[in-house]
Amino acid sequence: MGSPEITKGIRARGILAWLLAGLLVSFYILLYWDQELDQQIIYDLIIDSQIKDGDVISPEQRQLIKQAALTWQRPTELLEEYLPLVKKIQHSITAQSLLNYLIRPLDGLAQMLRGQKADKWFLYGFLYTALVVLMGARFIRKWKYEKYQKMRTLSVMVVQLMLAFLLPNLMVAAGSKEFYFSYFWPLKIEYFLPSALSELPRSLFLWGLMMSFVAVPVLTYFFGKRWYCSWVCGCGALANTAGDDFRHLSNKSTLAWQIEKITIYTILALAVAMTIVLFINHYRGVRDGFSDFAFAVQKWYFFFISAGFAGVIGTGFYPLAGTRVWCRFGCPQAAILGILQVFLSRFRITTNGGQCISCGNCSTYCEMGIDVRSYAMRGVDIKRASCVGCGICQAVCPRGVLRLENRW
Amino acid sequence: MSETVDLLVIGNGIAGISAALEFRRLHPTGSVLVVSDESSYFYSRPALMYVYLRTLKLEHTYPYEKKFWRKQNIALKQAKVIALHPPQNSATLSDGSTIHYRYCLLATGAIGRELNVPGYLLAGVQTFTNLNDLAKLEAATHPKKLPRRAIIIGGGLIGIEVCEMLRSRHIPVTFLVREPWYFPLALSETEGRLVEEEIRAHGAELWLQSEAREFQGSGKVERVITQDGRVIEADLVVVTIGVTPRIDLAQRAALACERGILVNEYQQTAIENIFAAGDCAEVPFAGSRRLELLWYTGERQGKTAGANIARLVKGEAMQPYTRDIWFNSAKFFTLDWHNYGDTNTPVGNKREFVFRFPGEKKVLRLVYGEGKILGFSSLGLRLRDKICRNWIAERRSVDYIIEHLKEALFDPEFFKTNLKALQTTWAARR
Ligand SMILES: Cc1cc2nc3c(=O)[nH]c(=O)nc-3n(C[C@H](O)[C@H](O)[C@H](O)COP(=O)(O)OP(=O)(O)OC[C@H]3O[C@@H](n4cnc5c(N)ncnc54)[C@H](O)[C@@H]3O)c2cc1C
Ligand code: SF4
Ligand code: SF4
Ligand code: SF4
């Protein structure tokens, strides 16, 4: 984005912000890149480099060694003589994987909840939940006089802890596949892809479908986008708790608004198109150029959109571009909720006649970069697709001009 | 250097800017130049305190993006108008240039009123109305070199803002208020007392019925002597006893002025092509005249002036400044204050019902005459503009209002207000 307005906005952030952003981005890159280390290839390379000429390892033994190195458990069938090799692999993985230093201390907790050793996704979930809960408590203290803020923060804290952390892990312990009840297509796009048909129990698949196509429109009709983005979703949870100090960094220019409208609906279109393509491919049931294309689309969607945009940019850029970069410019769920909010919802922000003194608190602290003031100055109600209903504009307004409401 | 414009606006506050925008809306091609000495862009004056509190940067208080002015084709210039020459239809600017205009709007605003006591001119004594005052206050209260104590003189809307500002840096504050309770001009005693609780809860010393008699110090203020002879040591004095319209430019151009620049109901001065609006204008009101020193009145007056100038250019008839039902709002530390209609202390056969919610920092006051509502004042709770103003316009009975009060509440969701208590008190009273 070469526009001077946007780059200037970013450059205005201090050196500390850049360092922090660097740290966060590296963490995410490590998290995703580290996935490569899990790949069998790396194991094979290590095994190949370690076996002496003439030694032969059968494919079965190879598999056992890999399994042992990966799970940190020794399958009984594994011969004693291969233990050094397992250790070697583990050491070299550990050396390469900085994350391991963070992961290992969580083994105990993971064992308890999940019945397995911790992996990097457990670490990620743990850190994420801890941030939401701890920083959520701080946020609640900060807004102790604002009930709306307290209630919704409590809600995201509970959802994150219960539905997005404890429950999925307990499900694994109980031998089922982990499932996140608080996410659904198209944000959690894999819950409505052909793969879900085979990987998820039918009941969970149907739950996801119900959420996507029934709960979303109905709840949005009554309460606006906020029921999800400010009361349930984990991305919103992190943004509004750990990210609170960065919320004012969102870009308020009309240019950013124009860009947002293009990118968010493009990604929604991509998500829908990918879903369709994968289903067509699934029902065609043949392996050909089309299926290669379908899987390539899926791979790149996960790489660029789910990992790159939502993760690395969405969270890594908190200190530079505010907390809702992904929510505002990328999230396909937000695109759907936003369309519903504008055309089919009782939610709006009412402005109180001519009471606005144009101070700018509302616009400055709107994490979605909405120029709330421009509406308040004219005394018109605000119905914007991007508004996540966080209610901060209402809380910071010194003249009591703004009120979030579901008007009947 | 000389330039000719259709409309020259002097002052880029809310009045001047509203005029320029309204003129532009009605006359898309006329040339407009806004000259102002204080800042290059229009900013929100009531937001000054948030810049001091560091919750906003000055830029955040600009209501329009910078490119907006280019799009609107409104020229901005930061300079002082040092003289206005009505016979030549021209103005001389501090940068030496001369502007010729077809129409001119004076929207020069107001500055802090001076306190007529010995020592007022000492360094460390200041007002708080503009960027210059803000810079002075910043310098006087630099976190590395805080004053021993600050004294605020005058208990109005600006005084309490300054109090909040200074307390945010933990500066010891003594607040001198002349009246028997806080802000009797607009608040009943019950409301005033609640505001006083709030001031004291935030750590300021509040002295009611106290006035300053003299400021003393060598070169710089060191102490304040009150009327009753008490001495307070302090290195900073902020005087917030109201504002004075800036009329010097108009006076030198021989325009008729009293407290403000005199205008008719079209915002026009005695000279046909010169208008005035906002804090600097004295407008006709109920057979007399008054100053209207508010943000939204500045906006309305400015709009009226801009529209009338556009109408004159197009050879149309002017339309008078109209007032809707009065409203205003403020915030006293954490307490919201909303105010609609006539909330003056009732005289004659007007009455008021004042209710402080038990155990809460909330007061609701209804002013009525012959059982019909005239005005609302709410402290610690928010009221809905549309409903309140409708009820006043419809002359609803107080009984009706007390019964339907819920509709008028504008507090955020989940806020609870004990309306039952209010309703039973009202019923018992009858
Ligand atoms: C701290 C503070 C808080 C306030 N809070 C509220 C509030 O909450 N609600 C409310 O309703 N009102 C509030 N007010 C009052 C409100 O800000 C004013 O009524 C309003 O700003 C008046 O606007 P204006 O355009 O008439 O004048 P101003 O905003 O004063 O603008 C006039 C401009 O003209 C410039 N100027 C003057 N002479 C010249 C010259 N010769 N050449 C060039 N430029 C010149 C001045 O420097 C100034 O920038 C507050 C005021 C202050 C100071
Ligand atoms: S915009 Fe998307 S990611 Fe953000 S809170 Fe809403 S649903 Fe979650
Ligand atoms: S407009 Fe208000 S409620 Fe909506 S996102 Fe912005 S700050 Fe939050
Ligand atoms: S915070 Fe309130 S008073 Fe300030 S600009 Fe926004 S709506 Fe207006």
Side-chain angles (χ1 to χ4, degrees), chain A residues 5 8 12 145-148 151-152 226 231 248 252-255 258 347 350-362 364-365 371 373-374 377 394-407, chain B residues 14 42 44-47 50 54-57 59-67 71 161 295-296 299 327-331 334 336-340 361 382-386 389 409-416:
Chain A
E5 268 181 276
K8 185 175 153 276
Y145 299 117
E146 296 287 334
K147 280 204 196 85
Y148 182 76
M151 305 277 284
R152 74 175 181 86
R226 56 182 172 154
W231 288 73
H248 63 288
K252 310 300 187 306
S253 66
T254 41
L255 180 70
Q258 280 155 6
F347 172 77
T350 306
T351 60
N352 211 11
Q355 298 279 26
C356 173
I357 50 164
S358 303
C359 68
N361 277 296
C362 52
T364 304
Y365 288 95
D371 190 359
R373 166 172 54 192
S374 67
M377 277 163 56
Q394 156 186 283
V396 297
C397 173
R399 291 296 177 273
V401 179
L402 305 164
R403 185 173 195 270
L404 277 64
E405 45 191 12
N406 315 309
R407 207 185 278 161
Chain B
I14 181 69
F42 166 46
S44 166
R45 191 170 304 286
Y50 303 103
R54 306 264 196 274
T55 43
L56 299 178
K57 293 193 180 131
E59 260 192 25
H60 292 137
T61 73
Y62 295 162
Y64 300 99
E65 285 179 73
K66 290 181 180 171
K67 67 181 177 197
K71 272 204 220 142
E161 287 189 357
W295 182 261
Y296 87 91
E299 180 184 4
F327 63 89
N328 194 17
S329 57
K331 191 160 193 174
T334 60
D336 287 309
W337 177 55
H338 277 181
N339 173 327
Y340 300 96
K361 291 203 235 163
R382 301 174 178 178
L383 293 180
R384 194 180 290 266
D385 168 277
K386 204 168 148 202
R389 297 210 281 153
L409 294 184
F410 199 67
D411 287 320
E413 294 152 306
F414 303 113
F415 254 74
K416 289 229 161 44

Side-chain angles (χ1 to χ4, degrees), chain B residues 43 189 260 281:
Chain B
Y43 76 95
E189 185 175 349

Side-chain angles (χ1 to χ4, degrees), chain A residues 50-66:
Chain A
Q50 293 301 323
I51 51 175
K52 285 163 238 100
D53 284 345
D55 277 2
V56 189
I57 287 185
S58 74
E60 291 77 34
Q61 285 165 331
R62 206 177 255 270
Q63 198 50 46
L64 282 173
I65 293 168
K66 285 186 205 167

Side-chain angles (χ1 to χ4, degrees), chain B residues 12 16 107 112 123 144 148 175 192 201 211 214 226 237 242 277 294 308 322 357 360 375 402 418:
Chain B
N12 69 352
K144 292 225 175 78
R148 287 172 298 163
F175 199 165
E211 283 179 76
E214 190 180 346
T226 65
V237 174
L294 292 181
N308 281 335
T322 54
F357 292 79
E360 290 184 277
I402 301 251
N418 189 356

Side-chain angles (χ1 to χ4, degrees), chain A residues 64-344:
Chain A
L64 282 173
I65 293 168
K66 285 186 205 167
Q67 198 187 335
L70 185 67
T71 59
W72 296 68
Q73 278 160 357
R74 192 156 72 86
T76 42
E77 313 89 335
L78 196 65
L79 297 176
E80 208 58 42
E81 60 178 289
Y82 290 123
L83 279 188
L85 200 49
V86 169
K87 281 252 152 55
K88 270 239 162 64
I89 294 175
Q90 283 175 345
H91 282 315
S92 75
I93 300 268
T94 311
Q96 283 174 63
S97 164
L98 285 169
L99 286 179
N100 244 324
Y101 293 111
L102 298 170
I103 293 171
R104 295 284 67 87
L106 295 177
D107 278 339
L109 183 66
Q111 200 74 53
M112 216 167 77
L113 292 174
R114 205 178 155 85
Q116 286 177 2
K117 292 214 167 193
D119 61 8
K120 62 181 181 179
W121 296 117
F122 186 85
L123 167 75
Y124 183 54
F126 175 81
L127 288 178
Y128 202 105
T129 308
L131 275 173
V132 168
V133 172
L134 293 176
M135 300 298 269
R138 167 179 176 258
F139 187 85
I140 286 178
R141 248 190 58 191
K142 171 171 168 188
W143 292 108
K144 54 176 178 270
Y145 299 117
E146 296 287 334
K147 280 204 196 85
Y148 182 76
Q149 297 306 327
K150 287 201 292 193
M151 305 277 284
R152 74 175 181 86
T153 306
L154 220 54
S155 166
V156 292
M157 284 159 68
V158 169
V159 169
Q160 177 63 34
L161 184 64
M162 300 297 180
L163 299 187
F165 186 65
L166 293 180
L167 192 59
N169 282 314
L170 291 172
M171 285 172 86
V172 173
S176 134
K177 195 177 154 57
E178 67 183 5
F179 187 80
Y180 295 85
F181 285 90
S182 52
Y183 297 103
F184 19 89
W185 184 93
L187 181 55
K188 192 91 179 152
I189 197 156
E190 56 269 40
Y191 286 178
F192 183 47
L193 289 183
S195 50
L197 286 170
S198 54
E199 288 169 13
L200 287 180
R202 196 45 52 98
S203 56
L204 293 181
F205 180 79
L206 289 176
W207 160 269
L209 234 96
M210 192 278 291
M211 288 309 286
S212 295
F213 299 105
V214 182
V216 163
V218 170
L219 289 171
T220 309
Y221 172 71
F222 286 112
F223 307 114
K225 188 181 191 175
R226 56 182 172 154
W227 78 267
Y228 191 64
C229 295
S230 290
W231 288 73
V232 175
C233 183
C235 301
L238 192 71
N240 284 172
T241 53
D244 184 49
D245 292 330
F246 306 119
R247 60 161 41 245
H248 63 288
L249 298 174
S250 59
N251 193 304
K252 310 300 187 306
S253 66
T254 41
L255 180 70
W257 183 13
Q258 280 155 6
I259 294 174
E260 152 197 328
K261 282 189 281 195
I262 298 171
T263 55
I264 195 161
Y265 296 115
T266 307
I267 290 179
L268 174 65
L270 271 175
V272 173
M274 177 179 108
T275 308
I276 295 173
V277 164
L278 284 168
F279 269 105
I280 293 177
N281 175 55
H282 177 71
Y283 288 110
R284 279 173 80 239
V286 289
R287 233 207 125 93
D288 57 5
F290 183 79
S291 68
D292 288 347
F293 166 75
F295 289 122
V297 169
Q298 180 174 14
K299 185 173 153 207
W300 292 114
Y301 185 91
F302 279 107
F303 182 73
F304 278 115
I305 309 293
S306 303
F309 201 159
V312 180
I313 297 179
T315 312
F317 280 30
Y318 270 19
L320 301 178
T323 45
R324 292 271 196 174
V325 176
W326 159 252
C327 294
R328 182 179 176 194
F329 295 97
C331 177
Q333 188 74 67
I336 292 177
L337 289 161
I339 295 171
L340 290 168
Q341 170 152 288
V342 171
F343 295 108
L344 203 88

